[in-house]
Amino acid sequence: MATDFSSSELEAFLDESLPVERMTAIEEALRLDGALQKQLTAINGRRDAGVHSLGDVWRRHRLSCPSREQLGSYLLGVLARDAADYISFHVNTIECRCCAASIADLAAQQSAAEADVTSRRQKYFRSSVGHLRKK
Ligand SMILES: [Zn+2]
């Protein structure tokens, strides 16, 4: 019998935001599983104390991941302020690992592209200098 539900699933259960089948499965498991009951009670207790996990906050505010293009614009600093604030909240406060990884990836690409432009400029400069010297 599968009784391992993730705590985010249990939180969603408390919010009644799971699909019916999943709600029923948890309800059934709760009747038989003392450990699961304790787990759910602990989660509920934490909520009453006003401590919300990030997953909780996430669901409550329906935060979704920005697109890769938006993350790229964020890195370049060309986003509107609202959008930039949202991404910085999403990545720094919510600590979305997925977007943090995308940003690291995009930053590496951007600095590689910049290095490429710089070396091309240097090559061009050297070749024009060479051209001038020949004259
Ligand atoms: Zn994200």
Side-chain angles (χ1 to χ4, degrees):
M1 193 176 127
T3 55
D4 56 328
F5 301 102
S6 68
S7 60
S8 59
E9 217 171 8
L10 292 176
E11 283 174 18
F13 173 78
L14 288 171
D15 282 335
E16 295 181 50
S17 60
L18 282 178
V20 178
E21 302 92 316
R22 208 60 185 152
M23 292 291 293
T24 314
I26 292 179
E27 268 168 21
E28 265 164 14
L30 274 173
R31 262 181 249 144
L32 308 162
D33 191 338
L36 190 62
Q37 283 169 23
K38 275 188 199 143
Q39 205 185 337
L40 198 66
T41 310
I43 290 172
N44 204 27
R46 240 189 315 132
R47 296 185 151 206
D48 288 347
V51 180
H52 300 293
S53 70
L54 284 177
D56 230 7
V57 174
W58 188 303
R59 260 192 309 281
R60 198 146 302 171
H61 298 282
R62 301 191 185 282
L63 300 174
S64 54
C65 292
S67 70
R68 210 174 154 83
E69 287 73 26
Q70 282 177 305
L71 292 175
S73 307
Y74 170 72
L75 272 179
L76 291 170
V78 297
L79 274 186
R81 174 128 196 194
D82 285 3
D85 282 351
Y86 173 74
I87 293 180
S88 122
F89 173 74
H90 182 80
V91 175
N92 301 319
T93 309
I94 297 295
E95 296 179 316
C96 175
R97 275 187 228 153
C98 184
C99 289
S102 292
I103 284 185
D105 188 36
L106 286 165
Q109 274 180 24
Q110 281 182 9
S111 62
E114 270 162 31
D116 192 41
V117 167
T118 311
S119 77
R120 236 180 292 151
R121 256 187 220 138
Q122 280 168 351
K123 265 181 219 156
Y124 178 74
F125 179 71
R126 269 186 231 121
S127 70
S128 353
V129 169
H131 188 69
L132 289 174
R133 273 190 195 137
K134 270 180 220 160
K135 272 187 179 174

